[in-house]
Amino acid sequence: MTSLALGPSWLDPTTLISTFGLVGILAVVFAESGLLIGFFLPGDSLLFTAGLLVADGTFLDQPLWLVCGLIVLAAVAGDQVGYLFGRKVGPSLFRRPDSRLFKQENVEKAAAFFDRHGPKAIVLARFVPIVRTFTPIVAGVSRMNYRTFVVYNVVGGVLWGAGVTVLGYFLGQIPFVRENIEAILIAIVLVSVIPVAVELLRARRTAQRTS
């Protein structure tokens, strides 16, 4: 296996999995799904790599169904914590000052994403880095109906958590993918960033028109 040549080495998916195993994957998924400090974690590439390593039998010797099931549980639990945190903190979150691990613009992006897509944003946000961390929190701040949130949370957790992992499992058995895994992981990171870039461009154009 090669390492993803982006960011610090300890954030490399293969390094994380080889060091912490399945427990590390679950911790990252939980943190990225609903904790304010989890927005920088490598969710998409980590799940893809997990599926690939399960297929390869490297570092992960658990069956695919167990890995996927636990990842889905961690993702759903993370969003639940984010939602409850948002309900408790409320509007004060939008007045919190910036710090090294918190940027007000991230909350505002998630709020705009939630306003644009409504309840289905809980599912769509799973596939958008940074936004997926803050969207359940914004849903809690907005007092979204709890039962509705749970339904969309479970659907999103299954599609993202199991879907990306299974994709890595099957694509990882293709020789071309295995021989170019570093390029594939970099492509996943870049593709996952596209929605964020689009939202930033839209926000900038809107600001220019109103100024």
Side-chain angles (χ1 to χ4, degrees):
M1 291 293 297
T2 56
S3 296
L4 180 60
L6 290 176
S9 59
W10 60 273
L11 281 180
D12 171 69
T14 304
T15 300
L16 281 171
I17 296 173
S18 64
T19 304
F20 301 105
L22 182 56
V23 173
I25 297 173
L26 301 180
V28 168
V29 169
F30 177 83
E32 193 188 19
S33 294
L35 301 184
L36 289 175
I37 61 173
F39 67 91
F40 63 89
L41 296 171
D44 299 308
S45 57
L46 180 66
L47 295 187
F48 186 89
T49 302
L52 189 150
L53 293 178
V54 170
D56 188 52
T58 305
F59 304 133
L60 295 173
D61 55 6
Q62 297 86 356
L64 179 64
W65 66 266
L66 179 60
V67 173
C68 288
L70 292 176
I71 287 174
V72 169
L73 288 176
V76 171
D79 262 29
Q80 291 295 126
V81 170
Y83 176 87
L84 295 175
F85 176 79
R87 283 187 71 100
K88 182 176 181 179
V89 173
S92 63
L93 181 65
F94 290 87
R95 298 192 295 270
R96 180 174 175 173
D98 287 349
S99 65
R100 291 186 63 182
L101 294 177
F102 178 84
K103 298 297 181 183
Q104 190 60 238
E105 64 176 325
N106 291 332
V107 178
E108 294 171 356
K109 276 187 263 184
F113 190 86
F114 184 79
D115 290 341
R116 182 176 299 109
H117 299 289
K120 65 181 180 181
I122 305 302
V123 176
L124 298 176
R126 287 288 188 183
F127 300 90
V128 184
I130 300 177
V131 172
R132 70 167 150 256
T133 300
F134 292 94
T135 296
I137 298 174
V138 171
V141 172
S142 304
R143 300 281 172 170
M144 178 181 177
N145 180 272
Y146 184 69
R147 290 185 178 180
T148 302
F149 173 80
V150 170
V151 171
Y152 281 93
N153 181 20
V154 171
V155 172
V158 171
L159 291 178
W160 179 67
V164 178
T165 305
V166 170
L167 183 66
Y169 179 86
F170 286 106
L171 290 183
Q173 300 181 50
I174 300 174
F176 174 81
V177 174
R178 296 186 60 78
E179 294 168 4
N180 299 276
I181 186 60
E182 184 171 0
I184 296 295
L185 291 178
I186 292 175
I188 291 173
V189 173
L190 294 178
V191 169
S192 65
V193 169
I194 288 177
V196 177
V198 171
E199 292 296 325
L200 288 174
L201 288 175
R202 286 179 177 176
R204 182 173 299 178
R205 289 177 181 176
T206 301
Q208 291 175 346
R209 290 173 183 173
T210 57
S211 60

